Amino acid sequence: MLRSFLTAAALAALALPAQAQDLLIRGGTIHTGNDAAPTAEVVIARDGRIAWVGAAADAPSTEGLTVIDLDGATLFPGFTDGHAHLDGIGWRELTLNLEGSTSVVDAMARLTAWAEAHPEGPIIGRGWIETRWPESANGARFLTAADLDAAAPGRVVLLERADGHAITASSPALAAARIDASTVAPSGGEIARGPDGQPTGFIVDAAMSLLAPLMPQADPEAKRNAYRAGFRVEARYGWTGIHFMSAPWSDIPLLEQMAEAGEAPLRVYNSVTPDGGAALIASGPRSVANGRIITRAIKYYVDGALGSRGAALHEPYSDAPHTSGLMQTTREDMAPLYENALRSGIQVATHAIGDRGNTEVLTWYRDAMAAVPAGERGLAQPRWRVEHAQILRPGDEPMFRDLQVIASMQPSHAIGDFHFASARLGDARLDGAYAWHSLVDLGVVVVGGSDAPVERGDPLIEFYAAVARRDLEGFQGPDWRPNEAVDRATALKMFTLWPAFASFREDELGTIEVGKRADFTAFDIDLMTVAEADIPGGRAVLTVVDGEVVYRAD
């Protein structure tokens, strides 16, 4: 059914990557990420590995090498998106994209245009966020079924909020899912209701499962096209790898097949959905195509998102005192899962955004590690992760260090969320919000990611957000905690070396050093010296994975 959503442009030019070549790259600054030798003038790759790094005057012969002249661009170790959703990135290209909509009117005009162009079948879309819409004072105005009904009369419409933690459904969709005034939301979910008790159409977190039967089931070729589109977008941005969070267990064989067929131009490190956890623990980590696709982690959820007030807080929301957010699970449910993962050597990644959500996860991690002593673990260093780690009580921050837990964070969330975070949290709770610098100072490994398609997914926006802590217009509010910005050397590690560490591959990836894999990203600006305000205006010009040029700008 989803074939009808695929545009001709999106399906065109899904080219396979070029074959690996022996390369000599020169003609621009090369930042190696190696503290002992931070810059170079020439790098040579042979058989997919880095064979030589150094000064141009000392470079060996170019015979037999394909020479790439950077023409003044700047080369870095391959950038890795430490938290993204590869399937969602692809579907964003192939379905209704409401990203950047400036108002309810704008979003609904896009829906109307899409409905007219696609007169049959359900309409699936994503990307709207109300926090800066003129109709939504303090983020209080979510899309409703009435909005969707007026824009696309009689159609089943499901429009996912940008954070992926809420969906607005049209009235025909609610009726098809049998959601009415008597429907009880499942634990960890919410069905928003109007004064008359009727559903408004806004469905949050676990309650979204009620709409699952309405989602068209993609056939294998449609899924393959979505992954192709996702790969193409990520390569164009300059990403050489992606940590695929909530990878559907049923899609792992497809990704592996694509890699074996040469259709996976980037590295993918899979953290699978909980329904695949038992199977992954039973089978153990899996890898194909010389490590191009690796599956060795499970992604769990403990709470929702801040924007839709699903993030679990210790105290009520400042702008909604009736709620403290939504916990998605319990200690009793998670303890055996965490302990089994420790014994099997499977990495655990847990979504936690609110301060209560983070406290609970860190406490449960501590208890699981105490219950499974080092001698019984599948890995001496499990490298467990908290995904997002957005709102922390400052007193909880040392737990990341003490438990050696990785904080997997997305800088662009801060520069978007801070336009409404103060209203949600009040000023005092912002002391532990998006606290990259504080965690790094404690010695915590902080992995940078984008959470695309929740955010745009551009590494330059993420790097800018990390070092500037300003929005894309240069604005920084008085409550944005500028001291939590990081320096550029740290930001570089967040997107290169530290994602390599978080995927157990720091010996192969993350820096430009002899013997490591030939993964490179080149931008037309030097991130280490260019003015902060100019960082988002740059672009990737070269993406190389295992010596394969998978993207090169015109």
Side-chain angles (χ1 to χ4, degrees):
M1 189 178 294
L2 276 179
R3 287 183 188 276
S4 62
F5 296 153
L6 309 185
T7 66
L11 287 173
L14 293 169
L16 298 182
Q19 294 299 308
Q21 296 175 301
D22 291 342
L23 303 175
L24 183 147
I25 304 177
R26 66 187 182 192
T29 301
I30 297 172
H31 292 286
T32 67
N34 176 7
D35 293 338
T39 61
E41 295 176 314
V42 173
V43 60
I44 293 175
R46 293 186 184 276
D47 298 322
R49 298 270 182 174
I50 299 168
W52 193 87
V53 184
D58 302 326
S61 169
T62 62
E63 184 177 354
L65 300 174
T66 298
V67 176
I68 294 179
D69 191 328
L70 293 170
D71 194 24
T74 308
L75 192 75
F76 296 90
F79 270 51
T80 295
D81 190 335
H83 180 118
H85 306 278
L86 183 59
D87 50 354
I89 294 166
W91 288 121
R92 178 175 62 184
E93 299 298 301
L94 307 177
T95 57
L96 173 58
N97 184 1
L98 296 175
E99 183 184 61
S101 52
T102 58
S103 63
V104 173
V105 172
D106 179 26
M108 293 302 93
R110 297 189 195 189
L111 171 57
T112 297
W114 183 273
E116 292 172 351
H118 303 81
E120 297 181 0
I123 299 173
I124 310 298
R126 179 171 181 156
W128 65 273
I129 184 166
E130 77 298 330
T131 51
R132 301 183 73 180
W133 284 351
E135 302 97 336
S136 181
N138 294 322
R141 169 65 159 88
F142 297 117
L143 285 180
T144 66
D147 296 322
L148 277 53
D149 295 344
R155 299 291 294 275
V156 170
V157 183
L158 300 171
L159 301 183
E160 194 169 2
R161 192 175 182 273
D163 61 13
H165 287 266
I167 291 176
T168 295
S170 64
S171 294
L174 293 174
R178 299 182 179 179
I179 299 174
D180 56 28
S182 64
T183 304
V184 177
S187 176
E190 178 185 1
I191 300 171
R193 303 179 190 277
D196 59 357
Q198 293 295 325
T200 67
F202 187 65
I203 311 295
V204 183
D205 283 319
M208 294 191 296
S209 63
L210 302 173
L211 298 169
L214 305 185
M215 292 289 188
Q217 297 301 304
D219 60 58
E221 189 59 25
K223 285 186 178 183
R224 187 183 294 264
N225 285 331
Y227 282 118
R228 286 171 174 163
F231 280 129
R232 188 174 65 252
V233 168
E234 296 295 272
R236 189 176 69 240
Y237 275 136
W239 299 114
T240 61
I242 177 175
H243 291 191
F244 183 4
M245 290 293 143
S246 302
W249 178 249
S250 59
D251 286 2
I252 301 303
L254 172 59
L255 286 168
E256 293 174 340
Q257 293 164 13
M258 292 179 72
E260 297 285 10
E263 291 189 272
L266 309 185
R267 300 191 186 285
V268 182
Y269 182 79
N270 290 313
S271 185
V272 302
T273 48
D275 65 306
L280 180 59
I281 286 174
S283 68
R286 47 199 282 175
S287 174
V288 301
N290 194 24
R292 190 61 65 91
I293 307 290
I294 294 176
T295 306
R296 66 172 305 163
I298 308 169
K299 165 80 176 298
Y300 295 105
Y301 287 82
V302 73
D303 67 352
L306 186 67
S308 49
R309 298 190 185 89
L313 304 178
H314 285 287
E315 302 294 335
Y317 278 80
S318 296
D319 60 353
H322 64 280
T323 182
S324 298
L326 300 167
M327 288 291 292
Q328 299 294 309
T329 189
T330 66
R331 175 195 299 269
E332 291 72 27
D333 289 337
M334 297 310 301
L337 300 176
Y338 285 166
E339 292 172 20
N340 286 342
L342 266 180
R343 291 188 174 94
S344 67
I346 295 298
Q347 189 183 37
V348 164
T350 306
H351 164 116
I353 287 181
D355 55 8
R356 181 190 171 195
N358 278 280
T359 299
E360 298 284 15
V361 168
L362 291 167
T363 301
W364 300 347
Y365 279 7
R366 181 196 64 198
D367 293 348
M369 291 176 185
V372 183
E376 297 179 16
R377 298 179 189 176
L379 284 173
Q381 190 180 40
R383 302 187 188 184
W384 282 11
R385 306 164 50 141
V386 173
E387 302 303 316
H388 308 304
Q390 281 183 208
I391 315 301
L392 306 175
R393 293 192 301 188
D396 287 342
E397 291 171 3
M399 293 180 70
F400 282 89
R401 175 198 61 204
D402 298 343
L403 298 173
Q404 298 183 349
V405 170
I406 294 164
S408 173
M409 307 178 77
Q410 301 74 49
S412 62
H413 283 342
I415 64 172
D417 289 6
F418 265 120
H419 286 283
F420 64 85
S422 181
R424 294 282 193 276
L425 300 170
D427 185 73
R429 282 186 285 198
L430 295 179
D431 282 344
Y434 316 89
W436 319 310
H437 198 293
S438 293
L439 290 168
V440 170
D441 279 353
L442 287 170
V444 176
V445 172
V446 177
V447 169
S450 75
D451 205 11
V454 174
E455 303 286 356
R456 173 95 305 257
D458 186 339
L460 294 174
I461 292 176
E462 299 301 331
F463 194 97
Y464 165 80
V467 301
R469 208 169 171 94
R470 296 175 181 273
D471 71 12
L472 294 178
E473 287 74 47
F475 174 75
Q476 185 180 75
D479 52 2
W480 284 32
R481 304 305 195 268
N483 57 301
E484 290 293 353
V486 299
D487 61 55
R488 300 189 193 209
T490 298
L492 183 60
K493 287 183 171 66
M494 289 171 64
F495 295 100
T496 55
L497 183 59
W498 290 345
F501 176 87
S503 59
F504 302 90
R505 303 193 78 182
E506 70 274 19
D507 292 337
E508 290 191 291
L509 305 170
T511 59
I512 299 177
E513 296 183 73
V514 172
K516 289 195 172 185
R517 292 181 180 262
D519 288 11
F520 311 116
T521 302
F523 299 107
D524 64 354
I525 57 173
D526 189 340
L527 296 176
M528 311 310 283
T529 60
V530 71
E532 281 183 357
D534 293 335
I535 294 174
R539 65 173 182 141
V541 296
L542 180 70
T543 310
V544 178
V545 180
D546 278 332
E548 297 178 9
V549 177
V550 299
Y551 171 75
R552 191 170 186 177
D554 294 336

